[in-house]
Amino acid sequence: MDQVYKKYYRGFYLKTGGFIPSKPINQSMYPGDFFQIRNGEVIVLGNIYRKSIIIPEEKSIEFGLRLNPANWSFSDGVTKPYSGRGSGNNPIEGEFEFSKQVLAFDSSGSYFFRGNNPESVKIANWSAIKDELIIKLTQTLFSFREVYVVTECATNSDWTLAIASSHKAELEIATDSENFGLVDIFGHSSAKTIQSKDIEYYHRESNRTPNFFKAKKLVVRDEKLDIFISDLISQRVNRNQWVSDFFDYDFHDQPVPFAPHITNNVQISFLDMLQANQLNPNTALLYFRWIDANLDDVEQLFLSYGDR
């Protein structure tokens, strides 16, 4: 059922300008957290400030940065077949009016997200510490070849999320709060669930928990990869002749086009092929750089070892 969440994660990244929901959804992610993605899970390994990878004197954090609220309310595959006013009777308080809505989800993974009053907290001096982090994370303190560092996290005064598990999913909600008329009540603090059907996930968070983040990813520099790829192509061209000369056997080797695709595995293979001591604290910046985590990394959240 993990794939049910994939549409939401992709949509969230695109709608919010690059923020990624944590995984699990309610996991807190703070600026400076460094992590890896393993079997579709975000594994937080530490924080660059808590472990003094970056000393306190070099800390520069900006707080309470306002984000565009229009980017934090969106849905995919959701319609509102009913939205209206009704009345009821309470034996104590008498007659009352309420607003009611029915939300219909057209497929598994369809979702509705609403976040209010979004703000972010971010590392303000990333450009000043990024090279130091490369050297310390790959050479002097750790020997990472794959790692992400959270540079910014976002919070909301409250947020609500519903994700469907099938094309028959429905959510019926109502509120007796005044001044609503026929406006959308999904995510309002007074909204109550009357009934739901085939809803995979439904949660309202009423605290400013940092459940959304942006991150930088450690990668091998393109120019180094290009040299490595060129060498691989050259080796493949000469491979058939070497096989024929070396083995006293009539192998049939069908020539195939060789167009390597640059992936994380290619990057790791390249680093494994370096000669001893070729990669060291003095040369680390020649081999590594940081890039923004993107939709390719969101895809990694939905890969398990059996999928590879």
Side-chain angles (χ1 to χ4, degrees):
M1 295 302 292
D2 200 39
Q3 297 297 318
V4 171
Y5 295 83
K6 187 174 182 178
K7 187 184 296 184
Y8 161 66
Y9 275 76
R10 287 179 56 86
F12 197 101
Y13 175 89
L14 294 170
K15 297 290 187 179
T16 62
F19 282 96
I20 301 172
S22 59
K23 193 170 187 240
I25 285 179
N26 292 321
Q27 179 173 215
S28 294
M29 303 290 289
Y30 301 96
D33 282 351
F34 57 94
F35 65 91
Q36 293 181 325
I37 298 175
R38 288 287 180 263
N39 202 27
E41 199 79 11
V42 172
I43 309 298
V44 178
L45 303 171
N47 189 285
I48 62 174
Y49 301 111
R50 186 177 183 185
K51 288 184 172 290
S52 295
I53 299 171
I54 299 299
I55 61 176
E57 290 77 14
E58 294 181 356
K59 181 187 73 172
S60 180
I61 308 291
E62 291 183 325
F63 300 93
L65 301 174
R66 298 290 182 87
L67 302 173
N68 186 353
N71 296 339
W72 291 77
S73 179
F74 47 88
S75 63
D76 188 313
V78 181
T79 58
K80 301 168 187 174
Y82 177 82
S83 185
R85 297 280 290 175
S87 62
N89 189 67
N90 186 303
I92 298 177
E93 299 177 354
E95 188 172 319
F96 65 94
E97 289 192 340
F98 60 90
S99 297
K100 187 175 79 168
Q101 284 186 338
V102 175
L103 304 178
F105 300 76
D106 66 11
S107 64
S108 174
S110 294
Y111 65 89
F112 199 143
F113 175 86
R114 170 156 292 155
N116 293 309
N117 307 306
E119 297 179 353
S120 79
V121 178
K122 68 183 295 184
I123 297 175
N125 64 335
W126 173 258
S127 60
I129 65 173
K130 61 184 179 65
D131 289 349
E132 179 183 356
L133 280 175
I134 287 177
I135 295 171
K136 288 184 175 180
L137 290 176
T138 67
Q139 297 299 308
T140 59
L141 297 180
F142 299 97
S143 55
F144 286 114
R145 299 297 180 261
E146 288 183 357
V147 73
Y148 299 78
V149 176
V150 175
T151 55
E152 184 174 4
C153 67
T155 68
N156 295 265
S157 59
D158 61 88
W159 60 264
T160 307
L161 171 64
I163 302 177
S165 62
S166 83
H167 66 283
K168 298 179 181 179
E170 284 188 352
L171 185 62
E172 185 176 350
I173 54 179
T175 178
D176 58 3
S177 181
E178 297 181 357
N179 301 321
F180 259 95
L182 298 181
V183 301
D184 194 357
I185 62 176
F186 179 80
H188 191 267
S189 59
S190 67
K192 295 178 175 59
T193 302
I194 298 175
Q195 64 177 356
S196 65
K197 180 175 70 174
D198 292 352
I199 298 295
E200 170 72 18
Y201 183 87
Y202 185 34
H203 177 72
R204 185 177 191 276
E205 177 58 56
S206 57
N207 298 296
R208 283 198 173 276
T209 54
N211 299 138
F212 319 104
F213 67 91
K214 291 183 178 181
K216 297 288 187 180
K217 175 174 65 172
L218 184 73
V219 297
V220 175
R221 289 190 171 275
D222 294 338
E223 55 269 28
K224 295 295 185 180
L225 275 178
D226 289 343
I227 294 172
F228 177 63
I229 295 299
S230 178
D231 288 344
L232 284 182
I233 294 174
S234 176
Q235 292 175 32
R236 178 57 64 106
V237 169
N238 298 324
R239 183 169 180 265
N240 290 348
Q241 184 60 50
W242 175 85
V243 168
S244 178
D245 293 341
F246 184 80
F247 293 102
D248 189 18
Y249 190 83
D250 186 19
F251 285 109
H252 175 71
D253 192 350
Q254 179 69 36
V256 294
F258 185 64
H261 177 60
I262 297 178
T263 65
N264 286 339
N265 290 334
V266 171
Q267 295 186 35
I268 294 170
S269 297
F270 161 61
L271 296 173
D272 289 343
M273 293 290 287
L274 292 178
Q275 297 180 7
N277 296 323
Q278 191 172 349
L279 178 59
N280 56 62
N282 294 321
T283 63
L285 298 182
L286 298 176
Y287 289 94
F288 293 105
R289 66 187 180 101
W290 297 102
I291 64 171
D292 293 331
N294 54 42
L295 278 178
D296 289 339
D297 304 292
V298 173
E299 291 290 330
Q300 294 298 314
L301 297 174
F302 298 93
L303 289 178
S304 63
Y305 293 130
D307 296 328
R308 296 181 185 275

